[in-house]
Amino acid sequence: MPADPLHRAGKPQRSTTSQPPSGSGASAIEVRRSARRRRTVSAYREGDRTIVLIPARMSEAEEQRWVNVMLDKLAAQESKRALGDVELAERARRLSDQYFDGRARPVSVRWVTNQNTRWGSCTPSEGSIRLSHRLQGMPEYVVDYVLVHELAHLLVPGHGPRFWALLEAYPRTERARGYLEGVAAAERLPHVPGARSEHPAD
C-alpha cells in the first residue's frame, strides 16, 4: 500500500461581530478589543455566539489568525469532552451519510492507545476503524477529516486517484492535513518550558 501522510505521525473595548468559518460550531463570532489587554487572547462560548477577547493594538491580520486559533482551541476542548467510542461511531455514520451517501458502513469505530505513529487506521475486510487517542482534544474538523479518510478506505482500500477523489468531498481536507502536519512538526521540536499558545508574539 502506498505511503499515506495521514498515517504518520483601559479604554472602552471595541467589538466586531462576524460569521464564523464553516464547521466552527457557533452562529456568530464577536471580537472584543481592549486597551487594558496587553498580551493575552482568550475566548468563550456565550449561547450561540463565540466571544474572542484580544489586545486593542492587534492588526486585522493578527485578529483573524487568533480568532482561528481560539476557535480551534474551543472546538478541541469540546471535542475532548464529548466524544467517546459510542459518539465516535455515530459521528462516523453521519459523515458517511453526508459525504459518501451512506455507502461506507464500518462495523466498529473506536479510540485506541497503541497508534503513536499514525492518526488512524482501517481494516476494510473487518469493517473496523481505529483512531489514535492523540486526536482527542483536537478540533472537530480534524477528527472529522481522519474519520472521513478512514471511511473512504472502506470504499477504496489503497491511496490511488479514486481514493483521493473521494476525499475531495470533505471541504476542510487541506486545512486538517495542515493542522496534523503542524502537530507532527511541533512534536519534533525541543520542549520550551512555560510556552503558552494563547500569548501573541510581541
Side-chain angles (χ1 to χ4, degrees), residues 126-194:
E126 299 176 356
S128 62
I129 289 175
R130 298 163 298 280
L131 266 59
S132 172
H133 72 287
R134 295 183 301 144
L135 288 165
Q136 292 176 322
M138 290 190 188
E140 290 183 2
Y141 74 88
V142 177
V143 177
D144 283 354
Y145 165 70
V146 179
L147 281 171
V148 169
H149 185 111
E150 302 306 337
L151 286 166
H153 277 309
L154 294 178
L155 304 175
V156 180
H159 291 97
R162 286 182 57 228
F163 173 82
W164 294 111
L166 285 175
L167 276 233
E168 288 178 0
Y170 184 64
R172 307 187 80 177
T173 289
E174 290 306 314
R175 185 177 180 190
R177 285 167 62 87
Y179 185 100
L180 291 172
E181 288 169 2
V183 170
E187 288 176 348
R188 294 192 292 268
L189 294 175
H191 175 64
V192 181

Side-chain angles (χ1 to χ4, degrees), residues 76-171:
Q77 293 168 352
E78 291 161 359
S79 176
K80 189 171 186 178
R81 287 196 300 268
L83 290 182
D85 285 351
V86 173
E87 293 84 2
L88 195 65
E90 174 60 21
R91 196 180 198 91
R93 185 193 65 77
R94 285 189 280 109
L95 290 168
S96 177
D97 289 343
Q98 183 174 358
Y99 296 110
F100 303 133
D101 297 321
R103 292 180 294 128
R105 288 297 185 195
V107 174
S108 67
V109 184
R110 60 192 176 90
W111 298 106
V112 294
T113 58
N114 61 351
Q115 289 188 164
N116 294 316
T117 60
R118 56 175 59 189
W119 299 112
S121 61
C122 173
T123 306
S125 62
E126 299 176 356
S128 62
I129 289 175
R130 298 163 298 280
L131 266 59
S132 172
H133 72 287
R134 295 183 301 144
L135 288 165
Q136 292 176 322
M138 290 190 188
E140 290 183 2
Y141 74 88
V142 177
V143 177
D144 283 354
Y145 165 70
V146 179
L147 281 171
V148 169
H149 185 111
E150 302 306 337
L151 286 166
H153 277 309
L154 294 178
L155 304 175
V156 180
H159 291 97
R162 286 182 57 228
F163 173 82
W164 294 111
L166 285 175
L167 276 233
E168 288 178 0
Y170 184 64

Side-chain angles (χ1 to χ4, degrees), residues 36-90:
R36 291 194 300 269
R37 184 175 288 266
R38 299 296 183 181
R39 289 174 54 85
T40 60
V41 176
S42 60
Y44 60 91
R45 304 287 195 205
E46 189 175 85
D48 63 351
R49 303 165 71 82
T50 300
I51 311 301
V52 182
L53 309 174
I54 65 173
R57 64 183 176 82
M58 271 195 179
S59 69
E60 294 297 320
E62 288 176 319
E63 172 184 319
Q64 187 56 54
R65 181 172 71 87
W66 279 98
V67 165
N68 288 334
V69 167
M70 298 312 290
L71 286 175
D72 280 352
K73 188 171 183 178
L74 285 174
Q77 293 168 352
E78 291 161 359
S79 176
K80 189 171 186 178
R81 287 196 300 268
L83 290 182
D85 285 351
V86 173
E87 293 84 2
L88 195 65
E90 174 60 21

